[in-house]
Amino acid sequence: MVKKEKLYYSQTEIANELKVSQATISRLLRFKDIQPVKRDGKTKKYSKEQLKHISFLLSEKKERITENTLNDKLFKELKKEIESLEQDKKDYQDQINQLQEQLRMAQVNLNQSQQLQLEQSKKIKELEAPKQDNDKDETKETTSGDDETDKKSFWERVFGN
């Protein structure tokens, strides 16, 4: 027995053929304003060409849904990536601020170290200065002492005073 190919389909048969709900078929027929070719009592009948057209509209809808789903997934992934990059940016900015603070502290420490070193060199010069003055005084005394012995008169040298 060879099955006879149908020429007309009801909404229920279209739904079963396309494996979708009857409500989906009803909505599609209403929104696309597809009119039945024939009425069999209360049952509306649609032609084979209309079935193909409905099938095409449903596949197009599925493609749009799939495309929208992919776009939504891509959008969510990109949004997560942006949030991650913003967090990385915030972390890097915090690290930069910490490093700048460390640099400021190092500059303050260097400045203080240089001031201390300058003060130490001044104190060393002050301590060395009197020593040099004492050396000069001793040299003068030695020189002037020799002069005094040379200036003693003959009798002072003989009788030694």
Side-chain angles (χ1 to χ4, degrees):
M1 281 174 83
V2 177
K3 276 191 174 180
K4 191 176 180 185
E5 200 172 312
K6 285 185 157 189
L7 297 177
Y8 300 104
Y9 298 88
S10 69
Q11 286 185 16
T12 307
E13 291 170 335
I14 293 172
N16 290 338
E17 183 82 21
L18 299 177
K19 297 177 182 160
V20 293
S21 70
Q22 217 174 334
T24 303
I25 298 298
S26 294
R27 258 192 315 270
L28 184 67
L29 293 173
R30 201 171 342 127
F31 288 131
K32 297 297 181 177
D33 197 29
I34 299 173
Q35 298 298 321
V37 175
K38 174 177 160 181
R39 286 186 185 259
D40 190 15
K42 286 187 173 181
T43 308
K44 299 174 185 175
K45 297 285 184 167
Y46 298 90
S47 70
K48 181 96 172 154
E49 290 78 29
Q50 286 177 318
L51 173 66
K52 288 179 183 177
H53 181 66
I54 292 168
S55 173
F56 175 76
L57 292 174
L58 283 173
S59 66
E60 190 177 89
K61 181 180 177 183
K62 286 180 184 177
E63 287 175 11
R64 279 195 311 259
I65 290 172
T66 304
E67 188 176 309
N68 288 342
T69 304
L70 290 174
N71 286 342
D72 288 344
K73 287 180 181 179
L74 181 62
F75 177 76
K76 287 177 183 177
E77 287 297 319
L78 290 174
K79 190 173 181 179
K80 285 179 186 177
E81 186 68 24
I82 289 171
E83 289 171 356
S84 172
L85 290 172
E86 285 176 348
Q87 183 63 38
D88 289 347
K89 178 184 171 187
K90 183 182 175 198
D91 292 343
Y92 290 141
Q93 190 61 44
D94 289 344
Q95 288 178 350
I96 289 171
N97 290 339
Q98 288 174 352
L99 290 172
Q100 286 176 338
E101 184 62 29
Q102 288 177 355
L103 181 61
R104 273 190 232 109
M105 292 303 296
Q107 288 172 337
V108 166
N109 289 340
L110 178 64
N111 188 23
Q112 290 174 348
S113 173
Q114 288 174 341
Q115 288 176 354
L116 287 172
Q117 195 173 15
L118 183 62
E119 287 177 22
Q120 285 177 346
S121 66
K122 284 181 183 178
K123 286 183 180 180
I124 289 172
K125 285 181 183 178
E126 288 175 3
L127 291 173
E128 288 178 349
K131 191 175 186 182
Q132 291 173 352
D133 290 342
N134 288 341
D135 291 343
K136 289 179 184 176
D137 290 343
E138 288 176 11
T139 309
K140 286 181 183 178
E141 288 178 12
T142 314
T143 311
S144 57
D146 291 341
D147 291 342
E148 288 179 13
T149 53
D150 292 341
K151 291 183 182 179
K152 288 184 182 177
S153 66
F154 174 74
W155 296 110
E156 287 176 336
R157 281 183 284 181
V158 172
F159 293 112
N161 219 3

